[in-house]
Amino acid sequence: MKNDVTKTPVAVIGASGYTGLELLKLLITHPRFDIAYIGNTKGGIRTEELHPSLKSVFSGDVLKSDANEIAKVAKVAFLALPHKTSMSFAKKLLKLGVKVVDLSADYRLELDTYEKYYCEHEDRENIPNSVYGLPEFYRQKIKNTSLVANPGCYPTATLLGILPFCDFIDERYPIFIDAKSGVSGAGKKCSEKTHFVSIDENIFAYNPLMHRHEPEIKEKMKQFSGKDFDVNFVPHLLPIIRGEMIDSYMLVKEEGLNPLEILREFYKNEPNIRIYEYPIDMKSSSGTNFCDIFAKVVGKKLYINSAIDNILRGSSSQAVANANIMCGFEENLGIPIIAYVP
Amino acid sequence: MKNDVTKTPVAVIGASGYTGLELLKLLITHPRFDIAYIGNTKGGIRTEELHPSLKSVFSGDVLKSDANEIAKVAKVAFLALPHKTSMSFAKKLLKLGVKVVDLSADYRLELDTYEKYYCEHEDRENIPNSVYGLPEFYRQKIKNTSLVANPGCYPTATLLGILPFCDFIDERYPIFIDAKSGVSGAGKKCSEKTHFVSIDENIFAYNPLMHRHEPEIKEKMKQFSGKDFDVNFVPHLLPIIRGEMIDSYMLVKEEGLNPLEILREFYKNEPNIRIYEYPIDMKSSSGTNFCDIFAKVVGKKLYINSAIDNILRGSSSQAVANANIMCGFEENLGIPIIAYVP
Amino acid sequence: MKNDVTKTPVAVIGASGYTGLELLKLLITHPRFDIAYIGNTKGGIRTEELHPSLKSVFSGDVLKSDANEIAKVAKVAFLALPHKTSMSFAKKLLKLGVKVVDLSADYRLELDTYEKYYCEHEDRENIPNSVYGLPEFYRQKIKNTSLVANPGCYPTATLLGILPFCDFIDERYPIFIDAKSGVSGAGKKCSEKTHFVSIDENIFAYNPLMHRHEPEIKEKMKQFSGKDFDVNFVPHLLPIIRGEMIDSYMLVKEEGLNPLEILREFYKNEPNIRIYEYPIDMKSSSGTNFCDIFAKVVGKKLYINSAIDNILRGSSSQAVANANIMCGFEENLGIPIIAYVP
Amino acid sequence: MKNDVTKTPVAVIGASGYTGLELLKLLITHPRFDIAYIGNTKGGIRTEELHPSLKSVFSGDVLKSDANEIAKVAKVAFLALPHKTSMSFAKKLLKLGVKVVDLSADYRLELDTYEKYYCEHEDRENIPNSVYGLPEFYRQKIKNTSLVANPGCYPTATLLGILPFCDFIDERYPIFIDAKSGVSGAGKKCSEKTHFVSIDENIFAYNPLMHRHEPEIKEKMKQFSGKDFDVNFVPHLLPIIRGEMIDSYMLVKEEGLNPLEILREFYKNEPNIRIYEYPIDMKSSSGTNFCDIFAKVVGKKLYINSAIDNILRGSSSQAVANANIMCGFEENLGIPIIAYVP
């Protein structure tokens, strides 16, 4: 951790997990951000001990996270924390003048929705100031806020595919979203579910029609379009480390829709969206900030097929893009666009 | 290949592929069938050369398939052949008095449907006599036929999940079927798509809303219920060898449905169906003839989640069960029920 | 659990783990054994709850293991327990007249060796009576003992490859054994090491030159040949569930050895050994009790390449074969020989 | 493909394969190289058609490779071609004044060795001028040559582990090298061996004690140390896309060696080597140019454990590092050091 006056000092709080690692990896080489503070629950360890692959690449002290200390050295803080823990830090940091990109769910939802699906909110004051960090839709607001709620991984991939069609979808019928995620999305903590033997050569759905990302998708569709859509979400875990694919099924109001034309027009100036004429493969976006989208209409039935890297576009690289916008930098500065393929 | 007069001699035609291997594996230990003829396109090889894992287990001459020779030694023939090739064998074998279990698509569909999605049919005469080999639904007819059309893997898993709900589904609304298959379903032939590097850490849809199993599902639902359902089918390839999972989404006519009760009642005497109270995992049925099913209703939305082993219940073990029924044996004779887990 | 008087009642103690599951799977269909008692640490659960893939296949009460209760109902006990726990059960069961197949390390080694690598031994009395359960080498003794020490998975695959060459190996030089195991060998307990994300797309060695199976291999080579070999063992974990491959490197005393001829002669009457003329692939033995072996000599250098299913031949199916021998049954009764391929 | 006069124009010949893709990925973002020519066998295609993951990232015309055209626009050519094809291009390009980094085997070996293991050499003239591109050992010579023979992937990982010990190894005893590679090393061409179903849940050795990388390792050890070592090499294919691990076993002349100290001293100024105190895991170097090394001594037995990314350090990133040196740039310019983990 060097001190470079031309760079903006940032803090990574919650450095132990996968999204913490991805943040570090992105920030190490970022041309305008400088890692000034790294925190986790306990501290007293170095980054290369937490993440051995960083050996000889980057070495920083990991401290027991302390909002006051963070505020002394950092202008922007990335919070890669569980929900509830996150809001307690965000609240303090905002008061101390630190900009916050919160990767948890704490500021993504309206108060009622949040409290219904998560827990009591302890920082109601800042909810109205938070901006949902989907740059393609909220770029201007992100520029002017000091609190970005970084979207969930599933909502990111789903919304980027569906939002362009809000005017066309027949809201009297349900939207069915069949989602598939790599295991990194389940976090670093070991459990019977994440044991290699449980995951390998297997696939299973979890929390069908009751996952917390369902209300997030629904609420954002409402905010964007003013309409109430009936969103039904079934996520699956895949024997894959990284990546996420969404298959969305719905009805449109009229036949004859050309979905690729709609997508191309909608995203014509967007560098982080790729439109395909054939079904996408998940791996082509792994390692990048791209959201890849294919869509097809048969009669009134619309099928949307989108993919992202769940811990980059679905978390850490989107967070850095948001920080870029908040700090007045070019949005794609330091953002990865070259996939890990092969 | 011993000759045991108390056993029924059978032929396996198309022994080179994965379903051919599965047939051999099942028949080697079958208490009432005796492998009397093994054929493939070229012949001149032994089974353990085609399938090295059979070394020291089973050794048989593989011959260039010849219907007349088959008829001399076998009473039942399993055809694990590509469509079109299959019907030319079936036609001859039936004329020679050999019972046929056809694992291809050739006799699964009504003539018009078949010719629309496959090719011109060259054995129209036998189509009316063929029985669709889904034992839970056509057991009696299978008993009395000499030609079973073994169902496709995707239709097997889909129909076993959906058919019990035909009376409840609102047919004015589309049914969306999001299917996931292991790579053995794509066959043994190498291609860029089946290269390890293309499949591993990846997932992709193929032939979305235009796969040939879509009309098969639709037609069987019509035959069973008399109703026209709007079936929409999107299959995916998974980085998995064996297994298949189906997620089906639809609307029912009225709220308050208890889908597990319906399934339990419907399948109460069926030994090869397992009903779950939580989402199924694909691997629990791998290696078996089981179809595992979970279902859930929210309002009028019905979600059905089913899984099978694609090359056993989706092909070879279902074929052997059909042959058991055709020969008057106990349906589950020699049928595997213990999963490969772990 | 039916009671069949023509069958020998057996107990499976330690039913929760992978080898416990494999034992149950083998015993469910075994023609001469009847599962009379199933135990684990806590009891109060049913087998299909411990192992959901057994649903509708086998349902038995799992009890808190109690030696006296076991002795009332079972004539043979399989102990799939951790070392140390195992000897305390074995001791009691033997005293109560129950034959024991111990899958732990507790009776595999001579006292000194055991206490050096494991812990203090609490059943010294029974060590001299125990027989090392490698049927190809100790068949006669197994027949006459009431305590079989089932070999470790690595020693099984290694010794079956190496022992035939003891007369030819130059014992002045070290033997290097590079072993590779699937993750089921690491047990069902979750840890950072067995997390899917740690294992997938990865490989690593562990305990190099200091694994407890090293002295087991060395001691058995000594017992068999009377010679002290310098055994050096490095195991690796593979991103695979099931299977184990051993690559052994050593020097022989004279050039001109034909290793395949030696193997074929040595194992000429052995049904569970397969000799190959080309390098073996691990998967061809997965699901079976086979040990597959290939070997090659260049000058005085001997390379031996062997593979087994680590939880079958390396544990549970070898245990059942040993029990067959102990009970006077045909050795391969109920032993799987058909691989899971594809 | 922009034209930037401050950058050195380079050609990538053989752009269709995995190493061709890796070269493109590295060169797209390289601060001092500019991709001026992209060739493959047929031409008439664009890079994003060859490699769909490059969509919206980089688009270049791929031409039918022509040495004269290459020489008009490029100062350095990377040849990612099969052996034999490569020398015909290199010969012409060198004559036309283009510097060449040859990723094939054509200039790695002395003439006799080459012709024994590959084919007749058609460019004998340039063999003496070629430099073996292992920067840690031939940095000065690379600086002054116009032809670098980029090392094989296995020799790179093996030699970086073993060469520091040449003074200590007892050359009277064989060195055994047990190598494990991801499937990308087998190339993009499909075959039964690279079918997903053949590789997944499997491992097998190939060309044991007769792989072409064996003489390459032996010859480089001789060149470096003046000694003839007895090198014995057995490679394996792993169910992994990317990465390579080497386990080398040998005897040293005297006891008491501290191998980590030797490695640390030997590589003390080398930025692309990492020394570990515990066995390495393959994935920590995937995505980077690092070679990770662990070593351990017991008595006189030395175990060396090294890993690289087979298509980066084992091919394309090492090629770019060599080009950097040849052009007088900083060796690590544009070279990846952050692993893909998780």
Side-chain angles (χ1 to χ4, degrees):
Chain A
M1 288 187 290
K2 346 137 228 185
N3 284 308
D4 181 337
V5 289
T6 70
K7 291 187 169 183
T8 299
V10 300
V12 174
I13 311 306
S16 309
Y18 296 138
T19 55
L21 170 57
E22 291 301 285
L23 284 168
L24 292 175
K25 285 164 59 180
L26 293 165
L27 294 167
I28 287 166
T29 55
H30 196 283
R32 299 294 299 276
F33 288 130
D34 194 43
I35 302 171
Y37 189 102
I38 305 167
N40 72 356
T41 315
K42 294 185 181 171
I45 196 168
R46 297 189 66 81
T47 47
E48 69 273 32
E49 291 174 283
L50 280 180
H51 303 294
S53 65
L54 293 181
K55 183 177 157 86
S56 304
V57 173
F58 177 78
S59 180
D61 268 322
V62 183
L63 307 172
K64 183 163 154 45
S65 305
D66 178 308
N68 290 311
E69 297 302 314
I70 296 166
K72 284 183 192 160
V73 298
K75 295 200 170 148
V76 180
F78 296 94
L79 305 185
L81 297 169
H83 74 269
K84 198 168 181 191
T85 311
S86 208
M87 61 175 106
S88 73
F89 271 95
K91 191 177 180 176
K92 290 182 209 154
L93 290 168
L94 289 164
K95 191 166 289 177
L96 292 161
V98 180
K99 294 185 184 197
V100 169
V101 181
D102 179 22
L103 284 76
S104 88
D106 280 351
Y107 299 94
R108 287 177 195 158
L109 298 171
E110 290 171 11
L111 180 62
D112 289 355
T113 319
Y114 183 85
E115 297 200 331
K116 181 169 171 197
Y117 290 95
Y118 290 87
C119 58
E120 200 187 345
H121 207 293
E122 294 161 9
D123 183 28
R124 300 179 175 210
E125 195 184 335
N126 280 306
I127 295 177
N129 309 321
S130 76
V131 177
Y132 193 67
L134 205 56
E136 283 78 1
F137 291 86
Y138 298 101
R139 195 169 277 129
Q140 281 312 314
K141 288 190 177 172
I142 296 166
K143 201 170 286 186
N144 300 313
T145 189
S146 53
L147 172 57
V148 163
N150 211 55
C153 54
Y154 286 129
T156 296
T158 304
L159 292 168
L160 288 170
I162 285 186
L163 287 181
F165 295 101
C166 279
D167 284 353
F168 305 98
I169 300 168
D170 188 339
E171 70 262 35
R172 295 171 304 168
Y173 291 99
I175 297 171
F176 292 113
I177 300 163
D178 191 287
K180 294 99 175 159
S181 175
V183 182
S184 56
K188 205 176 177 176
K189 212 179 149 185
C190 328
S191 73
E192 205 192 313
K193 289 258 168 188
T194 60
H195 193 295
F196 181 81
V197 173
S198 303
I199 295 287
D200 190 42
E201 298 294 300
N202 206 1
I203 176 173
F204 49 84
Y206 62 100
N207 300 340
L209 306 177
M210 54 184 284
H211 191 280
R212 286 159 165 177
H213 283 171
E214 188 175 287
E216 184 177 337
I217 296 166
K218 188 178 163 61
E219 189 182 285
K220 299 309 154 191
M221 290 186 73
K222 175 78 181 279
Q223 285 170 6
F224 178 72
S225 70
K227 295 182 209 169
D228 264 313
F229 291 99
D230 179 7
V231 173
N232 300 275
F233 184 77
V234 178
H236 301 75
L237 223 48
L238 293 179
I240 283 174
I241 292 172
R242 185 188 277 266
E244 199 164 277
M245 175 171 282
I246 305 291
D247 294 87
S248 301
Y249 303 91
M250 67 211 76
L251 280 174
V252 291
K253 286 178 265 185
E254 287 178 28
E255 298 201 6
L257 204 72
N258 183 332
L260 296 180
E261 216 167 76
I262 289 167
L263 286 168
R264 283 193 196 108
E265 176 61 23
F266 196 93
Y267 287 127
K268 67 185 161 194
N269 298 314
E270 289 298 342
N272 294 310
I273 305 285
R274 298 190 293 195
I275 314 299
Y276 288 75
E277 295 181 9
Y278 47 87
I280 54 175
D281 77 305
M282 204 178 75
K283 204 160 57 176
S284 285
S285 59
S286 290
T288 80
N289 191 52
F290 282 119
C291 179
D292 286 350
I293 313 176
F294 162 76
K296 182 173 179 176
V297 157
V298 171
K300 288 188 174 173
K301 290 154 293 183
L302 171 59
Y303 164 60
I304 306 172
N305 180 216
S306 53
I308 59 169
D309 184 315
N310 60 316
I311 51 175
L312 285 176
R313 178 61 180 243
S315 188
S316 300
S317 70
Q318 185 153 266
V320 174
N322 282 320
N324 282 337
I325 301 172
M326 290 167 92
C327 294
F329 303 152
E330 202 272 305
E331 181 175 330
N332 263 23
L333 211 61
I335 298 301
I337 60 166
I338 300 185
Y340 289 170
V341 173
Chain B
M1 288 187 288
K2 350 138 223 182
N3 284 308
D4 183 336
V5 289
T6 69
K7 291 186 169 183
T8 299
V10 300
V12 174
I13 312 305
S16 309
Y18 297 138
T19 54
L21 170 57
E22 292 301 284
L23 284 169
L24 292 175
K25 286 164 59 180
L26 293 166
L27 294 167
I28 288 167
T29 54
H30 195 283
R32 299 294 300 274
F33 288 130
D34 192 45
I35 303 172
Y37 188 103
I38 306 167
N40 73 356
T41 315
K42 293 184 182 170
I45 195 168
R46 295 188 68 80
T47 46
E48 69 273 34
E49 292 174 281
L50 282 180
H51 303 294
S53 64
L54 293 181
K55 183 178 158 86
S56 304
V57 173
F58 177 76
S59 178
D61 268 321
V62 183
L63 307 172
K64 183 164 156 42
S65 304
D66 179 307
N68 289 309
E69 297 301 316
I70 296 165
K72 283 181 195 162
V73 297
K75 294 199 173 150
V76 181
F78 295 93
L79 305 184
L81 297 168
H83 74 268
K84 199 170 180 190
T85 311
S86 207
M87 61 175 104
S88 74
F89 271 95
K91 191 178 180 175
K92 289 181 212 156
L93 290 168
L94 289 165
K95 190 165 292 177
L96 292 161
V98 179
K99 295 185 184 197
V100 169
V101 181
D102 180 21
L103 285 75
S104 88
D106 280 351
Y107 299 92
R108 289 178 195 157
L109 299 171
E110 290 170 11
L111 179 63
D112 289 356
T113 319
Y114 183 85
E115 296 201 330
K116 182 170 172 197
Y117 291 96
Y118 290 88
C119 59
E120 200 187 344
H121 207 292
E122 293 161 10
D123 182 27
R124 301 181 175 208
E125 196 184 335
N126 280 305
I127 296 178
N129 309 321
S130 76
V131 177
Y132 193 67
L134 206 55
E136 283 78 1
F137 292 86
Y138 299 100
R139 194 168 279 131
Q140 281 311 316
K141 288 189 177 173
I142 295 166
K143 203 170 284 187
N144 301 312
T145 189
S146 53
L147 173 56
V148 163
N150 211 55
C153 54
Y154 287 131
T156 296
T158 305
L159 291 168
L160 289 171
I162 286 186
L163 287 181
F165 295 101
C166 280
D167 284 353
F168 305 97
I169 300 169
D170 187 340
E171 70 260 36
R172 295 169 305 168
Y173 184 76
I175 297 171
F176 292 113
I177 300 163
D178 191 289
K180 297 98 175 158
S181 174
V183 182
S184 56
K188 205 175 176 178
K189 214 179 148 185
C190 329
S191 73
E192 205 192 314
K193 289 259 167 185
T194 59
H195 192 297
F196 181 82
V197 173
S198 303
I199 295 287
D200 189 42
E201 298 294 300
N202 206 1
I203 178 174
F204 49 84
Y206 63 100
N207 301 339
L209 306 178
M210 53 185 285
H211 191 280
R212 286 159 165 178
H213 284 171
E214 188 173 288
E216 184 177 336
I217 296 166
K218 187 179 165 60
E219 191 182 283
K220 298 310 153 192
M221 290 185 74
K222 176 76 179 282
Q223 285 171 6
F224 178 73
S225 70
K227 295 183 208 168
D228 263 313
F229 291 99
D230 179 7
V231 173
N232 300 275
F233 184 77
V234 178
H236 300 75
L237 224 46
L238 293 179
I240 283 174
I241 291 174
R242 183 189 278 265
E244 201 163 277
M245 176 173 281
I246 305 289
D247 295 87
S248 301
Y249 303 93
M250 66 212 76
L251 279 175
V252 289
K253 286 179 265 186
E254 286 178 29
E255 298 201 6
L257 205 69
N258 183 332
L260 296 180
E261 216 166 78
I262 290 168
L263 287 167
R264 283 193 197 109
E265 176 61 23
F266 196 92
Y267 288 126
K268 65 185 161 194
N269 298 315
E270 291 296 343
N272 294 308
I273 305 285
R274 298 190 292 194
I275 314 299
Y276 288 74
E277 295 181 10
Y278 48 86
I280 53 175
D281 77 306
M282 203 177 75
K283 206 161 51 176
S284 285
S285 59
S286 290
T288 81
N289 191 53
F290 282 119
C291 178
D292 286 350
I293 313 177
F294 162 75
K296 183 173 181 176
V297 158
V298 171
K300 288 188 176 174
K301 291 156 292 184
L302 170 60
Y303 164 60
I304 306 171
N305 179 216
S306 54
I308 59 168
D309 183 314
N310 60 316
I311 50 176
L312 285 176
R313 177 61 179 243
S315 188
S316 300
S317 69
Q318 185 153 265
V320 174
N322 282 320
N324 282 338
I325 301 172
M326 292 166 91
C327 293
F329 303 153
E330 203 271 306
E331 182 175 330
N332 261 24
L333 210 60
I335 298 301
I337 59 166
I338 300 184
Y340 289 170
V341 173
Chain C
M1 289 188 287
K2 349 141 224 180
N3 284 308
D4 182 337
V5 288
T6 70
K7 292 187 169 182
T8 300
V10 300
V12 174
I13 311 305
S16 309
Y18 297 138
T19 55
L21 170 57
E22 291 302 283
L23 283 169
L24 292 176
K25 286 165 58 181
L26 293 166
L27 293 168
I28 288 166
T29 55
H30 196 282
R32 299 293 300 275
F33 288 131
D34 193 45
I35 303 173
Y37 188 103
I38 306 167
N40 74 354
T41 316
K42 293 185 182 171
I45 195 168
R46 295 189 69 79
T47 47
E48 69 273 32
E49 292 173 280
L50 280 180
H51 303 293
S53 64
L54 292 181
K55 183 178 158 85
S56 304
V57 173
F58 177 78
S59 179
D61 268 322
V62 183
L63 307 172
K64 183 162 157 44
S65 305
D66 178 307
N68 289 311
E69 297 302 315
I70 297 166
K72 285 183 194 161
V73 298
K75 296 200 171 149
V76 181
F78 295 94
L79 305 185
L81 298 169
H83 73 268
K84 199 169 180 191
T85 310
S86 207
M87 60 176 105
S88 73
F89 272 95
K91 191 177 180 175
K92 290 181 212 156
L93 290 168
L94 289 165
K95 190 165 290 177
L96 292 161
V98 179
K99 295 185 183 197
V100 169
V101 181
D102 179 21
L103 285 75
S104 88
D106 281 350
Y107 299 92
R108 289 178 195 158
L109 300 170
E110 289 170 12
L111 179 63
D112 289 356
T113 319
Y114 184 85
E115 297 200 330
K116 181 169 172 199
Y117 290 95
Y118 291 86
C119 59
E120 198 187 346
H121 207 293
E122 293 160 10
D123 182 28
R124 300 180 176 209
E125 194 185 336
N126 280 306
I127 296 178
N129 308 321
S130 77
V131 177
Y132 193 67
L134 206 55
E136 284 77 2
F137 291 86
Y138 299 100
R139 194 168 280 130
Q140 281 311 315
K141 288 190 178 173
I142 295 166
K143 202 170 286 188
N144 300 312
T145 190
S146 53
L147 172 56
V148 163
N150 211 55
C153 54
Y154 287 130
T156 296
T158 304
L159 291 168
L160 289 170
I162 285 186
L163 287 181
F165 295 101
C166 280
D167 284 353
F168 306 98
I169 299 169
D170 188 339
E171 70 260 37
R172 295 170 305 167
Y173 292 98
I175 297 171
F176 292 113
I177 300 163
D178 190 288
K180 296 99 176 156
S181 174
V183 182
S184 56
K188 204 174 177 178
K189 212 179 149 185
C190 330
S191 73
E192 205 191 314
K193 290 259 168 184
T194 59
H195 192 296
F196 182 81
V197 173
S198 303
I199 295 286
D200 189 42
E201 298 294 299
N202 206 1
I203 178 174
F204 49 84
Y206 63 100
N207 300 340
L209 307 177
M210 52 185 285
H211 190 280
R212 286 161 166 177
H213 284 171
E214 190 174 287
E216 184 177 336
I217 296 166
K218 189 179 163 59
E219 191 182 284
K220 299 308 154 192
M221 290 184 74
K222 175 78 179 280
Q223 284 171 6
F224 178 73
S225 70
K227 296 182 208 170
D228 264 313
F229 291 99
D230 179 7
V231 173
N232 300 275
F233 184 77
V234 177
H236 300 76
L237 223 47
L238 293 179
I240 283 174
I241 292 174
R242 183 188 280 265
E244 199 163 279
M245 174 172 282
I246 305 290
D247 295 87
S248 301
Y249 303 92
M250 66 212 76
L251 280 174
V252 290
K253 287 179 264 186
E254 286 179 29
E255 298 200 6
L257 205 70
N258 183 332
L260 296 180
E261 218 166 77
I262 290 168
L263 287 168
R264 284 193 197 108
E265 176 61 22
F266 197 93
Y267 287 126
K268 66 185 160 193
N269 297 314
E270 290 297 344
N272 294 309
I273 305 285
R274 297 189 294 194
I275 314 300
Y276 288 74
E277 296 182 8
Y278 47 87
I280 53 174
D281 77 305
M282 203 178 75
K283 206 161 50 175
S284 285
S285 58
S286 291
T288 80
N289 191 52
F290 283 119
C291 178
D292 286 350
I293 314 178
F294 161 77
K296 183 173 180 175
V297 157
V298 171
K300 288 188 177 173
K301 290 155 294 186
L302 171 60
Y303 163 60
I304 307 172
N305 180 215
S306 53
I308 59 168
D309 183 314
N310 60 316
I311 49 176
L312 285 176
R313 178 60 180 244
S315 188
S316 300
S317 70
Q318 185 153 265
V320 174
N322 282 320
N324 282 337
I325 301 172
M326 292 166 91
C327 294
F329 304 153
E330 203 271 306
E331 181 175 331
N332 262 23
L333 210 61
I335 298 301
I337 60 167
I338 299 184
Y340 289 171
V341 171
Chain D
M1 289 186 288
K2 346 137 227 181
N3 284 308
D4 181 337
V5 289
T6 69
K7 291 186 169 183
T8 299
V10 300
V12 174
I13 312 305
S16 310
Y18 296 138
T19 56
L21 170 57
E22 291 302 285
L23 283 169
L24 292 175
K25 285 165 59 179
L26 293 166
L27 293 167
I28 288 166
T29 54
H30 195 282
R32 298 294 300 274
F33 288 131
D34 193 44
I35 303 172
Y37 189 102
I38 304 166
N40 74 355
T41 315
K42 294 185 180 169
I45 197 169
R46 297 189 67 80
T47 46
E48 70 272 33
E49 292 173 283
L50 282 179
H51 303 294
S53 64
L54 293 181
K55 183 177 158 86
S56 304
V57 173
F58 177 77
S59 179
D61 268 322
V62 182
L63 307 172
K64 185 166 153 44
S65 305
D66 178 309
N68 289 310
E69 296 302 314
I70 297 166
K72 284 181 192 160
V73 298
K75 294 199 172 151
V76 180
F78 296 93
L79 305 184
L81 297 169
H83 75 268
K84 198 168 181 190
T85 311
S86 207
M87 62 175 105
S88 74
F89 271 95
K91 191 177 181 175
K92 290 180 210 156
L93 289 168
L94 289 164
K95 192 165 289 176
L96 292 161
V98 179
K99 295 184 183 195
V100 169
V101 181
D102 180 21
L103 284 75
S104 89
D106 280 351
Y107 299 93
R108 287 178 196 159
L109 299 171
E110 289 170 13
L111 180 62
D112 289 356
T113 319
Y114 183 85
E115 297 200 330
K116 182 168 171 197
Y117 290 95
Y118 291 88
C119 59
E120 200 187 345
H121 207 292
E122 294 162 9
D123 182 28
R124 300 179 174 209
E125 197 183 333
N126 280 307
I127 296 177
N129 309 320
S130 76
V131 177
Y132 193 68
L134 205 54
E136 283 78 1
F137 292 85
Y138 299 100
R139 194 169 278 129
Q140 281 311 315
K141 287 189 177 171
I142 296 166
K143 202 171 284 188
N144 301 312
T145 190
S146 52
L147 173 56
V148 163
N150 211 56
C153 54
Y154 287 129
T156 295
T158 306
L159 291 168
L160 289 170
I162 286 185
L163 287 180
F165 295 101
C166 279
D167 284 354
F168 305 97
I169 299 169
D170 187 340
E171 71 261 34
R172 294 170 305 169
Y173 183 77
I175 297 170
F176 292 113
I177 300 162
D178 190 289
K180 294 99 176 158
S181 175
V183 182
S184 57
K188 204 176 177 175
K189 212 178 148 186
C190 329
S191 73
E192 206 192 313
K193 289 258 169 188
T194 60
H195 193 296
F196 181 81
V197 173
S198 304
I199 295 287
D200 189 42
E201 297 295 299
N202 206 0
I203 177 173
F204 49 85
Y206 63 100
N207 300 339
L209 306 177
M210 52 184 286
H211 190 280
R212 286 159 164 178
H213 284 171
E214 187 173 288
E216 184 176 336
I217 295 165
K218 187 179 163 60
E219 191 182 283
K220 298 310 153 190
M221 290 186 74
K222 175 77 180 280
Q223 285 170 9
F224 178 73
S225 70
K227 294 182 209 169
D228 264 313
F229 291 99
D230 179 7
V231 173
N232 301 276
F233 184 78
V234 178
H236 300 74
L237 223 46
L238 293 179
I240 283 175
I241 291 173
R242 185 187 277 265
E244 200 163 277
M245 175 171 283
I246 305 291
D247 294 88
S248 301
Y249 303 92
M250 67 211 76
L251 279 176
V252 290
K253 286 179 266 188
E254 287 177 28
E255 297 200 8
L257 204 72
N258 183 332
L260 296 180
E261 216 167 76
I262 289 168
L263 286 167
R264 284 193 196 107
E265 176 61 23
F266 196 93
Y267 288 127
K268 66 183 161 196
N269 298 314
E270 290 298 343
N272 294 309
I273 306 286
R274 298 189 292 195
I275 315 299
Y276 288 75
E277 295 181 10
Y278 48 87
I280 54 175
D281 77 306
M282 204 179 74
K283 205 159 54 175
S284 286
S285 58
S286 290
T288 81
N289 191 52
F290 283 118
C291 178
D292 286 350
I293 314 176
F294 162 76
K296 182 172 181 177
V297 157
V298 171
K300 288 188 175 172
K301 290 154 294 184
L302 170 60
Y303 164 59
I304 307 172
N305 180 217
S306 54
I308 59 169
D309 184 314
N310 60 315
I311 50 175
L312 286 175
R313 178 59 180 244
S315 189
S316 300
S317 70
Q318 185 152 266
V320 174
N322 282 321
N324 282 337
I325 301 172
M326 292 166 91
C327 293
F329 303 152
E330 203 272 304
E331 182 175 328
N332 262 22
L333 211 61
I335 298 301
I337 59 166
I338 300 185
Y340 289 170
V341 173

